[in-house]
Amino acid sequence: MVELRVTISDDTAEQLAERARREQTTPEQLASRAVRSFLGSFASPGNGKPGFVALGSSGRRDISERAEE
């Protein structure tokens, strides 16, 4: 495990502490969970592509050919 030091505003620290109290955990554990969640939203396991790639479909198949138009 690696220890990471980050700097956050006083307001953010208060919000983090309050949320941690509500969830009966520590601010450190909550922040660690938030970082894992954040990173998971950018990468799909196994393929290395961001999770939002190919999320929607335009229904058209000629988009790349018509990109300049």
Side-chain angles (χ1 to χ4, degrees):
M1 189 171 297
V2 174
E3 185 173 321
L4 175 68
R5 181 178 175 193
V6 297
T7 303
I8 58 176
S9 69
D10 291 340
D11 290 341
T12 301
E14 289 173 17
Q15 291 174 352
L16 182 63
E18 177 57 34
R19 176 91 179 250
R21 275 192 293 277
R22 285 195 316 263
E23 296 188 19
Q24 298 179 346
T25 188
T26 66
E28 294 82 4
Q29 289 172 330
L30 184 59
S32 179
R33 207 168 72 212
V35 170
R36 282 194 309 273
S37 176
F38 174 78
L39 292 176
S41 69
F42 283 100
S44 299
N47 67 10
K49 294 180 187 173
F52 56 83
V53 171
L55 195 63
S57 173
S58 68
R60 298 183 61 176
R61 297 180 182 269
D62 64 343
I63 296 298
S64 62
E65 289 95 19
R66 299 181 55 152
E68 295 299 319
E69 295 176 20

